[in-house]
Amino acid sequence: MAFFQPLGSKEEQINALMYDELPTSQSFTGIRALKNSDVLTAVTIVAGDISRFPLVKQDLDGGISQDENLNYLMNVKSTKEATAHAWKFAMAVNAILCGNAYSRILRDPISKKPLEFEFYPPSAVTIEAGEDYTSRSYVFYPLQGNREIRCGPEDVIHWKFFSSDTVYGRSPLLSLRNEISLQESGISTLLKFFRDGFSSGILKMQGAQLSGEARKAVRKEFEVSREGATGGSPIVMDSTMDYTPLEIDTNVLSLINSNNYSTAQIAKCLRVPAHKLAITNPNQSVKQLNDDYILNDLPYYFNAITSEFQLKLLDQSERKKFVLSFDTRSVTGLMPEDVMRLYNGGLVTGDQALNLMGISASRDPDMQRRKFSLNYVWSDLAEKYQIDQQNRRKRKGEDDDEQSGDPPTDNEIGIEKIGE
C-alpha cells in the first residue's frame, strides 16, 4: 500500500486519478515528488504559509468574533498529539502531493461540537458511493488493527485544492511530468559529464586492420582498464594505441545548468512566486511580488480550506452569521500613516484602525468612537449654511440702521445719576 495515494472505491478509479493513464507510466506525485528540490521548496512554502497564518471567525461586517473553542482547535492544538501548525502543514502537503487530505472530526457526544481532529494518510481512506450515487461515505482504516471506521461527509475534513467532480482531488504535480523529467535529464547529463569526464573518445590501433570481432575485443579490453576510474583518472596505454577524447561544447553544459524553464513551470503550477525558487524578476520589487502572492495566489488555497471548515465546523445558524478566514494582517496590514489618515478622517474607529494594522483591539470605550472634523461639512448643508450667513448679515445690517440715530439720554435708559 503506497503511503501517499488518494484512494477510491475502485482500483481503476485510483489509477485514473493518480496517473491519468496506465499505472506503469512514470509519475512524480506523492512522497516521491519531494526528491525534486524545486517541488520540495514550493510545497514547503505553500504549506508553511497555510499553517502559519491563524484562522479567525468573523461576522458579516468583518468584525472578529471571539470563539475560544474554535480558536483552540484551529490555531493551538488540532489533534490528540499534534499542534495545529503541524496538522495544517501535514494536511497541506498531502493535498498538494496527492490531491487529497483527510481527517476525522471527533465531536462532543452531547453538544456535537468539534473537539479535535484525527489525521489519516490518504492511503488509509476510501470513499464509497451510495446505491443512488447521490450520497457517499468515508471509510477509514486505522494503521493499527484490522477494523474500519465509516463516517459521513459531515464528520470528515477533506482538503482538495483541485477537483473536477467535487469528490476527489487531483494533484497539480500530475501536470508537471514532462517538466520534471526534463529537469532530471539535464541533471543526469551534468552528473554523467563530471563523473565520467573524458572517458568517451576515439581509440586508434596504429598499423592494424581490425575486424568487427577484434574491435569489440579491443573496446572491451579498454573498458576493463577504465573500470572503477572516475573523471580525471589517468589512462594507461601502450605504444600501439592512440586515444583522442571527444570534446564536449561547454555551452551545452552551461545551457543545461542555467535552464530555469522547469523551475518556472513548477512555480507557476503551484502558484508560488518564481523569486522564491531563485528566479529573479527585474520588473517588480520583492515586496510587490510578496503582496501579489498573498492577495492573489494564496486565496486559491485559503478559500478551499475555509469553505470546508465552515461547512463542517459551524452549524446552520452560524453559517448564516459568520465566516472563517485566514488572518494575514501581520503581513498585509496597512502602514501606520495610512491608518492614521483613515482614523483622523472619521472613516474608522480607533479599534478598527488597530485591526487594520494587525494589532488586537483595546477595551477603551473611546476607541469605539469616530473622530469628526469641523473643517468638513456635507455639500447640501454648505449651501444652507451660506444662506443662513447671508440672512444673518442682512438682519444685522437692519439692526445697525435702527441704532444709527441720536443716542438716548441717561434718564431714557434708566441710569440713576449718583453724586448730583
Side-chain angles (χ1 to χ4, degrees):
M1 179 183 296
F3 184 70
F4 288 95
Q5 179 178 338
L7 296 181
S9 58
K10 296 181 180 180
E11 186 175 355
E12 294 80 3
Q13 190 177 35
I14 299 171
N15 295 334
L17 288 169
M18 281 293 296
Y19 304 106
D20 289 339
E21 53 187 61
L22 295 177
T24 56
S25 64
Q26 189 178 14
S27 177
F28 296 97
T29 57
I31 192 67
R32 81 192 86 175
L34 297 181
K35 294 180 180 179
N36 184 285
S37 62
D38 289 334
V39 174
L40 173 64
T41 303
V43 171
T44 302
I45 291 172
V46 174
D49 288 334
I50 290 175
S51 57
R52 76 183 175 107
F53 288 120
L55 283 146
V56 294
K57 183 179 180 181
Q58 294 179 305
D59 56 31
L60 300 182
D61 294 328
I64 297 178
S65 175
Q66 301 297 332
D67 191 325
E68 295 181 355
N69 295 330
L70 198 60
N71 177 73
Y72 184 81
L73 177 64
M74 296 189 301
N75 300 318
V76 181
K77 187 177 181 181
S78 297
T79 71
K80 184 178 181 180
E81 299 177 349
T83 63
H85 181 279
W87 177 77
K88 287 187 286 187
F89 191 94
M91 289 284 288
V93 169
N94 278 273
I96 296 173
L97 295 181
C98 306
N100 301 274
Y102 306 96
S103 286
R104 283 183 61 213
I105 303 175
L106 303 183
R107 301 182 182 273
D108 184 282
I110 299 177
S111 65
K112 302 301 180 181
K113 293 290 185 180
L115 298 177
E116 66 181 34
F117 301 128
E118 191 174 54
F119 174 79
Y120 283 84
S123 59
V125 183
T126 61
I127 302 177
E128 296 183 356
E131 296 181 357
D132 55 357
Y133 295 99
T134 60
S135 62
R136 64 182 184 272
S137 61
Y138 291 79
V139 182
F140 294 86
Y141 299 94
L143 300 180
Q144 297 179 352
N146 296 323
R147 63 189 182 95
E148 63 180 42
I149 302 173
R150 191 175 297 269
C151 300
E154 67 278 1
D155 291 325
V156 178
I157 295 295
H158 182 185
W159 288 9
K160 47 185 181 297
F161 299 132
F162 184 94
S163 176
S164 59
D165 58 3
T166 73
V167 178
Y168 295 97
R170 183 183 186 276
S171 173
L173 300 181
L174 288 170
S175 302
L176 293 172
R177 180 178 304 149
N178 295 333
E179 287 81 357
I180 298 178
S181 296
L182 176 63
Q183 188 181 63
E184 292 190 349
S185 298
I187 294 175
S188 298
T189 301
L190 288 176
L191 290 176
K192 186 177 185 301
F193 172 76
F194 289 110
R195 182 180 64 249
D196 298 339
F198 47 81
S199 62
S200 297
I202 300 175
L203 181 63
K204 296 180 180 179
M205 304 297 294
Q206 298 180 4
Q209 294 182 355
L210 303 177
S211 63
E213 293 297 328
R215 291 191 185 97
K216 291 181 181 180
V218 172
R219 183 187 301 113
K220 184 176 181 180
E221 182 179 352
F222 183 78
E223 290 176 351
V224 170
S225 66
R226 288 285 300 161
E227 187 175 351
T230 58
S233 298
I235 299 177
V236 180
M237 299 182 298
D238 56 27
S239 58
T240 62
M241 296 181 181
D242 182 14
Y243 177 76
T244 303
L246 291 177
E247 296 182 0
I248 300 178
D249 190 353
T250 56
N251 292 329
V252 176
L253 301 178
S254 300
L255 177 62
I256 295 174
N257 193 35
S258 62
N259 183 19
N260 294 324
Y261 170 75
S262 297
T263 301
Q265 293 301 105
I266 293 173
K268 180 185 71 173
C269 187
L270 296 181
R271 307 177 75 95
V272 173
H275 77 277
K276 291 182 177 291
L277 299 184
I279 299 179
T280 59
N281 188 334
N283 299 323
Q284 289 179 292
S285 65
V286 174
K287 183 181 185 306
Q288 290 175 327
L289 293 171
N290 286 334
D291 290 345
D292 179 72
Y293 165 64
I294 294 175
L295 295 176
N296 299 315
D297 292 321
L298 277 182
Y300 169 77
Y301 299 99
F302 286 170
N303 293 339
I305 296 171
T306 54
S307 60
E308 180 75 5
F309 278 151
Q310 288 169 192
L311 185 63
K312 307 297 177 62
L313 302 183
L314 303 182
D315 56 34
Q316 184 67 17
S317 60
E318 289 180 313
R319 286 195 290 269
K320 295 180 179 180
K321 300 178 181 178
F322 302 99
V323 295
L324 300 178
S325 62
F326 281 87
D327 187 1
T328 62
R329 292 174 300 169
S330 60
V331 177
T332 60
L334 296 178
M335 299 298 293
E337 53 269 21
D338 296 330
V339 176
M340 285 301 299
R341 281 195 289 268
L342 295 175
Y343 177 57
N344 292 331
L347 296 178
V348 296
T349 65
D351 280 343
Q352 289 174 337
L354 293 176
N355 288 332
L356 290 174
M357 292 189 295
I359 304 174
S360 300
S362 67
R363 297 183 179 179
D364 188 350
D366 289 336
M367 295 294 284
Q368 301 294 331
R369 305 171 66 187
R370 296 178 184 269
K371 278 189 174 183
F372 178 78
S373 175
L374 295 177
N375 295 326
Y376 305 98
V377 68
W378 299 111
S379 59
D380 56 341
L381 295 179
E383 183 179 3
K384 182 177 181 299
Y385 174 77
Q386 291 178 344
I387 295 175
D388 291 343
Q389 286 292 97
Q390 292 175 356
N391 294 334
R392 189 177 295 109
R393 286 194 296 268
K394 184 177 180 181
R395 288 194 300 270
K396 183 178 179 181
E398 293 175 353
D399 294 341
D400 291 342
D401 292 342
E402 293 177 358
Q403 296 177 4
S404 62
D406 295 332
T409 62
D410 292 341
N411 290 335
E412 289 176 339
I413 60 176
I415 300 178
E416 181 179 359
K417 295 183 178 180
I418 299 177
E420 291 184 356

mmCIF file of all heavy atoms in Angstrom, residues 10-40:
data_model
loop_
_atom_site.group_PDB
_atom_site.id
_atom_site.type_symbol
_atom_site.label_atom_id
_atom_site.label_comp_id
_atom_site.label_asym_id
_atom_site.label_seq_id
_atom_site.Cartn_x
_atom_site.Cartn_y
_atom_site.Cartn_z
ATOM 1 N N LYS A 10 -12.582 1.953 -6.442
ATOM 2 C CA LYS A 10 -12.119 1.001 -7.429
ATOM 3 C C LYS A 10 -10.682 1.313 -7.810
ATOM 4 O O LYS A 10 -10.267 2.460 -7.855
ATOM 5 C CB LYS A 10 -13.006 1.047 -8.676
ATOM 6 C CG LYS A 10 -14.457 0.629 -8.423
ATOM 7 C CD LYS A 10 -15.248 0.674 -9.706
ATOM 8 C CE LYS A 10 -16.707 0.260 -9.464
ATOM 9 N NZ LYS A 10 -17.492 0.298 -10.698
ATOM 10 N N GLU A 11 -9.937 0.259 -8.120
ATOM 11 C CA GLU A 11 -8.537 0.441 -8.487
ATOM 12 C C GLU A 11 -8.399 1.226 -9.787
ATOM 13 O O GLU A 11 -7.489 2.037 -9.937
ATOM 14 C CB GLU A 11 -7.857 -0.924 -8.628
ATOM 15 C CG GLU A 11 -6.361 -0.823 -8.876
ATOM 16 C CD GLU A 11 -5.708 -2.179 -8.895
ATOM 17 O OE1 GLU A 11 -6.416 -3.172 -8.629
ATOM 18 O OE2 GLU A 11 -4.513 -2.240 -9.170
ATOM 19 N N GLU A 12 -9.315 1.020 -10.741
ATOM 20 C CA GLU A 12 -9.245 1.769 -11.993
ATOM 21 C C GLU A 12 -9.426 3.255 -11.743
ATOM 22 O O GLU A 12 -8.802 4.099 -12.381
ATOM 23 C CB GLU A 12 -10.326 1.265 -12.965
ATOM 24 C CG GLU A 12 -10.129 -0.169 -13.436
ATOM 25 C CD GLU A 12 -10.597 -1.186 -12.417
ATOM 26 O OE1 GLU A 12 -11.121 -0.766 -11.357
ATOM 27 O OE2 GLU A 12 -10.438 -2.393 -12.663
ATOM 28 N N GLN A 13 -10.299 3.593 -10.799
ATOM 29 C CA GLN A 13 -10.525 4.991 -10.488
ATOM 30 C C GLN A 13 -9.284 5.607 -9.855
ATOM 31 O O GLN A 13 -8.938 6.757 -10.122
ATOM 32 C CB GLN A 13 -11.719 5.107 -9.530
ATOM 33 C CG GLN A 13 -12.197 6.538 -9.331
ATOM 34 C CD GLN A 13 -13.414 6.580 -8.454
ATOM 35 O OE1 GLN A 13 -13.543 5.794 -7.525
ATOM 36 N NE2 GLN A 13 -14.306 7.503 -8.732
ATOM 37 N N ILE A 14 -8.595 4.840 -9.043
ATOM 38 C CA ILE A 14 -7.356 5.317 -8.421
ATOM 39 C C ILE A 14 -6.323 5.631 -9.485
ATOM 40 O O ILE A 14 -5.689 6.687 -9.482
ATOM 41 C CB ILE A 14 -6.805 4.264 -7.443
ATOM 42 C CG1 ILE A 14 -7.819 3.988 -6.327
ATOM 43 C CG2 ILE A 14 -5.478 4.713 -6.862
ATOM 44 C CD1 ILE A 14 -7.446 2.827 -5.456
ATOM 45 N N ASN A 15 -6.155 4.707 -10.423
ATOM 46 C CA ASN A 15 -5.163 4.917 -11.477
ATOM 47 C C ASN A 15 -5.511 6.126 -12.339
ATOM 48 O O ASN A 15 -4.623 6.882 -12.749
ATOM 49 C CB ASN A 15 -5.061 3.663 -12.353
ATOM 50 C CG ASN A 15 -4.522 2.469 -11.579
ATOM 51 O OD1 ASN A 15 -3.798 2.644 -10.601
ATOM 52 N ND2 ASN A 15 -4.872 1.271 -12.008
ATOM 53 N N ALA A 16 -6.784 6.325 -12.608
ATOM 54 C CA ALA A 16 -7.179 7.472 -13.420
ATOM 55 C C ALA A 16 -6.899 8.776 -12.706
ATOM 56 O O ALA A 16 -6.501 9.763 -13.311
ATOM 57 C CB ALA A 16 -8.669 7.365 -13.773
ATOM 58 N N LEU A 17 -7.110 8.776 -11.388
ATOM 59 C CA LEU A 17 -6.863 9.992 -10.619
ATOM 60 C C LEU A 17 -5.380 10.273 -10.466
ATOM 61 O O LEU A 17 -4.929 11.416 -10.566
ATOM 62 C CB LEU A 17 -7.505 9.873 -9.234
ATOM 63 C CG LEU A 17 -9.023 9.950 -9.181
ATOM 64 C CD1 LEU A 17 -9.517 9.548 -7.816
ATOM 65 C CD2 LEU A 17 -9.485 11.351 -9.523
ATOM 66 N N MET A 18 -4.609 9.235 -10.225
ATOM 67 C CA MET A 18 -3.190 9.419 -9.936
ATOM 68 C C MET A 18 -2.359 9.622 -11.174
ATOM 69 O O MET A 18 -1.454 10.454 -11.223
ATOM 70 C CB MET A 18 -2.656 8.202 -9.167
ATOM 71 C CG MET A 18 -2.998 8.213 -7.697
ATOM 72 S SD MET A 18 -2.166 9.531 -6.816
ATOM 73 C CE MET A 18 -0.454 9.027 -7.012
ATOM 74 N N TYR A 19 -2.639 8.868 -12.215
ATOM 75 C CA TYR A 19 -1.732 8.847 -13.357
ATOM 76 C C TYR A 19 -2.344 9.357 -14.657
ATOM 77 O O TYR A 19 -1.623 9.637 -15.603
ATOM 78 C CB TYR A 19 -1.230 7.415 -13.599
ATOM 79 C CG TYR A 19 -0.576 6.820 -12.382
ATOM 80 C CD1 TYR A 19 -1.223 5.844 -11.635
ATOM 81 C CD2 TYR A 19 0.677 7.241 -11.979
ATOM 82 C CE1 TYR A 19 -0.619 5.289 -10.514
ATOM 83 C CE2 TYR A 19 1.289 6.697 -10.859
ATOM 84 C CZ TYR A 19 0.635 5.721 -10.130
ATOM 85 O OH TYR A 19 1.220 5.186 -9.037
ATOM 86 N N ASP A 20 -3.664 9.462 -14.719
ATOM 87 C CA ASP A 20 -4.356 9.835 -15.949
ATOM 88 C C ASP A 20 -4.162 8.802 -17.053
ATOM 89 O O ASP A 20 -4.567 9.017 -18.191
ATOM 90 C CB ASP A 20 -3.889 11.202 -16.466
ATOM 91 C CG ASP A 20 -4.389 12.317 -15.572
ATOM 92 O OD1 ASP A 20 -5.357 12.082 -14.857
ATOM 93 O OD2 ASP A 20 -3.801 13.403 -15.605
ATOM 94 N N GLU A 21 -3.486 7.706 -16.778
ATOM 95 C CA GLU A 21 -3.250 6.669 -17.777
ATOM 96 C C GLU A 21 -2.826 5.406 -17.037
ATOM 97 O O GLU A 21 -3.089 5.248 -15.853
ATOM 98 C CB GLU A 21 -2.178 7.120 -18.766
ATOM 99 C CG GLU A 21 -0.897 7.588 -18.088
ATOM 100 C CD GLU A 21 0.072 8.187 -19.090
ATOM 101 O OE1 GLU A 21 -0.250 9.177 -19.742
ATOM 102 O OE2 GLU A 21 1.168 7.609 -19.190
ATOM 103 N N LEU A 22 -2.154 4.498 -17.729
ATOM 104 C CA LEU A 22 -1.766 3.248 -17.086
ATOM 105 C C LEU A 22 -0.804 3.510 -15.926
ATOM 106 O O LEU A 22 0.052 4.379 -16.011
ATOM 107 C CB LEU A 22 -1.101 2.322 -18.114
ATOM 108 C CG LEU A 22 -2.012 1.840 -19.246
ATOM 109 C CD1 LEU A 22 -1.206 1.001 -20.216
ATOM 110 C CD2 LEU A 22 -3.197 1.071 -18.708
ATOM 111 N N PRO A 23 -0.896 2.755 -14.825
ATOM 112 C CA PRO A 23 -0.050 2.994 -13.667
ATOM 113 C C PRO A 23 1.411 2.659 -13.911
ATOM 114 O O PRO A 23 2.242 2.911 -13.062
ATOM 115 C CB PRO A 23 -0.670 2.077 -12.594
ATOM 116 C CG PRO A 23 -1.377 1.008 -13.358
ATOM 117 C CD PRO A 23 -1.862 1.663 -14.602
ATOM 118 N N THR A 24 1.746 2.082 -15.052
ATOM 119 C CA THR A 24 3.148 1.768 -15.316
ATOM 120 C C THR A 24 3.945 2.986 -15.750
ATOM 121 O O THR A 24 5.166 2.940 -15.789
ATOM 122 C CB THR A 24 3.246 0.698 -16.416
ATOM 123 O OG1 THR A 24 2.543 1.173 -17.580
ATOM 124 C CG2 THR A 24 2.614 -0.606 -15.950
ATOM 125 N N SER A 25 3.264 4.071 -16.120
ATOM 126 C CA SER A 25 3.970 5.272 -16.557
ATOM 127 C C SER A 25 4.644 5.945 -15.372
ATOM 128 O O SER A 25 4.223 5.803 -14.230
ATOM 129 C CB SER A 25 2.994 6.251 -17.209
ATOM 130 O OG SER A 25 2.051 6.697 -16.254
ATOM 131 N N GLN A 26 5.700 6.692 -15.671
ATOM 132 C CA GLN A 26 6.428 7.356 -14.614
ATOM 133 C C GLN A 26 5.613 8.510 -14.071
ATOM 134 O O GLN A 26 5.025 9.283 -14.812
ATOM 135 C CB GLN A 26 7.767 7.878 -15.148
ATOM 136 C CG GLN A 26 8.687 8.389 -14.051
ATOM 137 C CD GLN A 26 10.011 8.836 -14.621
ATOM 138 O OE1 GLN A 26 10.158 9.005 -15.817
ATOM 139 N NE2 GLN A 26 10.988 9.019 -13.752
ATOM 140 N N SER A 27 5.556 8.650 -12.758
ATOM 141 C CA SER A 27 4.773 9.696 -12.128
ATOM 142 C C SER A 27 5.615 10.397 -11.080
ATOM 143 O O SER A 27 6.504 9.800 -10.481
ATOM 144 C CB SER A 27 3.513 9.119 -11.487
ATOM 145 O OG SER A 27 2.797 10.126 -10.814
ATOM 146 N N PHE A 28 5.336 11.679 -10.880
ATOM 147 C CA PHE A 28 6.087 12.461 -9.917
ATOM 148 C C PHE A 28 5.177 13.001 -8.837
ATOM 149 O O PHE A 28 5.393 14.081 -8.303
ATOM 150 C CB PHE A 28 6.808 13.612 -10.641
ATOM 151 C CG PHE A 28 7.845 13.147 -11.622
ATOM 152 C CD1 PHE A 28 7.538 13.052 -12.964
ATOM 153 C CD2 PHE A 28 9.109 12.781 -11.204
ATOM 154 C CE1 PHE A 28 8.475 12.622 -13.879
ATOM 155 C CE2 PHE A 28 10.055 12.351 -12.105
ATOM 156 C CZ PHE A 28 9.743 12.271 -13.446
ATOM 157 N N THR A 29 4.113 12.280 -8.506
ATOM 158 C CA THR A 29 3.224 12.671 -7.431
ATOM 159 C C THR A 29 3.576 11.902 -6.169
ATOM 160 O O THR A 29 4.377 10.985 -6.181
ATOM 161 C CB THR A 29 1.762 12.393 -7.814
ATOM 162 O OG1 THR A 29 1.631 11.002 -8.137
ATOM 163 C CG2 THR A 29 1.346 13.233 -8.995
ATOM 164 N N GLY A 30 2.907 12.277 -5.059
ATOM 165 C CA GLY A 30 3.148 11.590 -3.807
ATOM 166 C C GLY A 30 4.486 11.948 -3.186
ATOM 167 O O GLY A 30 5.154 12.903 -3.575
ATOM 168 N N ILE A 31 4.889 11.145 -2.223
ATOM 169 C CA ILE A 31 6.099 11.438 -1.459
ATOM 170 C C ILE A 31 7.335 11.433 -2.344
ATOM 171 O O ILE A 31 8.318 12.127 -2.067
ATOM 172 C CB ILE A 31 6.246 10.407 -0.312
ATOM 173 C CG1 ILE A 31 7.315 10.847 0.690
ATOM 174 C CG2 ILE A 31 6.553 9.041 -0.859
ATOM 175 C CD1 ILE A 31 6.947 12.077 1.450
ATOM 176 N N ARG A 32 7.314 10.693 -3.453
ATOM 177 C CA ARG A 32 8.483 10.630 -4.341
ATOM 178 C C ARG A 32 8.761 11.986 -4.976
ATOM 179 O O ARG A 32 9.895 12.255 -5.382
ATOM 180 C CB ARG A 32 8.259 9.564 -5.405
ATOM 181 C CG ARG A 32 7.421 9.999 -6.577
ATOM 182 C CD ARG A 32 6.982 8.853 -7.446
ATOM 183 N NE ARG A 32 5.757 8.253 -6.927
ATOM 184 C CZ ARG A 32 5.097 7.285 -7.548
ATOM 185 N NH1 ARG A 32 5.563 6.794 -8.664
ATOM 186 N NH2 ARG A 32 4.006 6.783 -7.042
ATOM 187 N N ALA A 33 7.750 12.852 -5.085
ATOM 188 C CA ALA A 33 7.956 14.162 -5.707
ATOM 189 C C ALA A 33 8.876 15.044 -4.878
ATOM 190 O O ALA A 33 9.498 15.965 -5.404
ATOM 191 C CB ALA A 33 6.609 14.858 -5.907
ATOM 192 N N LEU A 34 8.988 14.774 -3.570
ATOM 193 C CA LEU A 34 9.847 15.589 -2.718
ATOM 194 C C LEU A 34 11.320 15.350 -2.978
ATOM 195 O O LEU A 34 12.168 16.058 -2.429
ATOM 196 C CB LEU A 34 9.526 15.312 -1.246
ATOM 197 C CG LEU A 34 8.102 15.685 -0.797
ATOM 198 C CD1 LEU A 34 7.927 15.387 0.671
ATOM 199 C CD2 LEU A 34 7.802 17.139 -1.103
ATOM 200 N N LYS A 35 11.664 14.375 -3.814
ATOM 201 C CA LYS A 35 13.061 14.191 -4.198
ATOM 202 C C LYS A 35 13.541 15.336 -5.082
ATOM 203 O O LYS A 35 14.742 15.581 -5.181
ATOM 204 C CB LYS A 35 13.226 12.862 -4.937
ATOM 205 C CG LYS A 35 12.963 11.640 -4.075
ATOM 206 C CD LYS A 35 13.149 10.353 -4.879
ATOM 207 C CE LYS A 35 12.889 9.129 -4.010
ATOM 208 N NZ LYS A 35 13.053 7.863 -4.786
ATOM 209 N N ASN A 36 12.602 16.025 -5.719
ATOM 210 C CA ASN A 36 12.944 17.186 -6.529
ATOM 211 C C ASN A 36 13.006 18.414 -5.623
ATOM 212 O O ASN A 36 12.036 18.738 -4.936
ATOM 213 C CB ASN A 36 11.902 17.380 -7.633
ATOM 214 C CG ASN A 36 12.242 18.510 -8.569
ATOM 215 O OD1 ASN A 36 12.100 19.673 -8.230
ATOM 216 N ND2 ASN A 36 12.701 18.167 -9.767
ATOM 217 N N SER A 37 14.136 19.117 -5.638
ATOM 218 C CA SER A 37 14.325 20.231 -4.709
ATOM 219 C C SER A 37 13.363 21.379 -4.978
ATOM 220 O O SER A 37 12.910 22.046 -4.034
ATOM 221 C CB SER A 37 15.773 20.720 -4.785
ATOM 222 O OG SER A 37 16.083 21.196 -6.087
ATOM 223 N N ASP A 38 13.033 21.646 -6.240
ATOM 224 C CA ASP A 38 12.097 22.729 -6.546
ATOM 225 C C ASP A 38 10.699 22.406 -6.038
ATOM 226 O O ASP A 38 10.007 23.280 -5.486
ATOM 227 C CB ASP A 38 12.060 22.990 -8.057
ATOM 228 C CG ASP A 38 13.333 23.649 -8.562
ATOM 229 O OD1 ASP A 38 14.000 24.326 -7.752
ATOM 230 O OD2 ASP A 38 13.667 23.484 -9.749
ATOM 231 N N VAL A 39 10.261 21.173 -6.225
ATOM 232 C CA VAL A 39 8.952 20.765 -5.706
ATOM 233 C C VAL A 39 8.944 20.837 -4.184
ATOM 234 O O VAL A 39 7.979 21.324 -3.570
ATOM 235 C CB VAL A 39 8.596 19.348 -6.188
ATOM 236 C CG1 VAL A 39 7.309 18.863 -5.526
ATOM 237 C CG2 VAL A 39 8.437 19.319 -7.697
ATOM 238 N N LEU A 40 10.027 20.362 -3.560
ATOM 239 C CA LEU A 40 10.119 20.422 -2.099
ATOM 240 C C LEU A 40 10.022 21.859 -1.608
ATOM 241 O O LEU A 40 9.298 22.164 -0.641
ATOM 242 C CB LEU A 40 11.432 19.789 -1.642
ATOM 243 C CG LEU A 40 11.770 19.924 -0.147
ATOM 244 C CD1 LEU A 40 10.738 19.198 0.704
ATOM 245 C CD2 LEU A 40 13.158 19.401 0.139
#
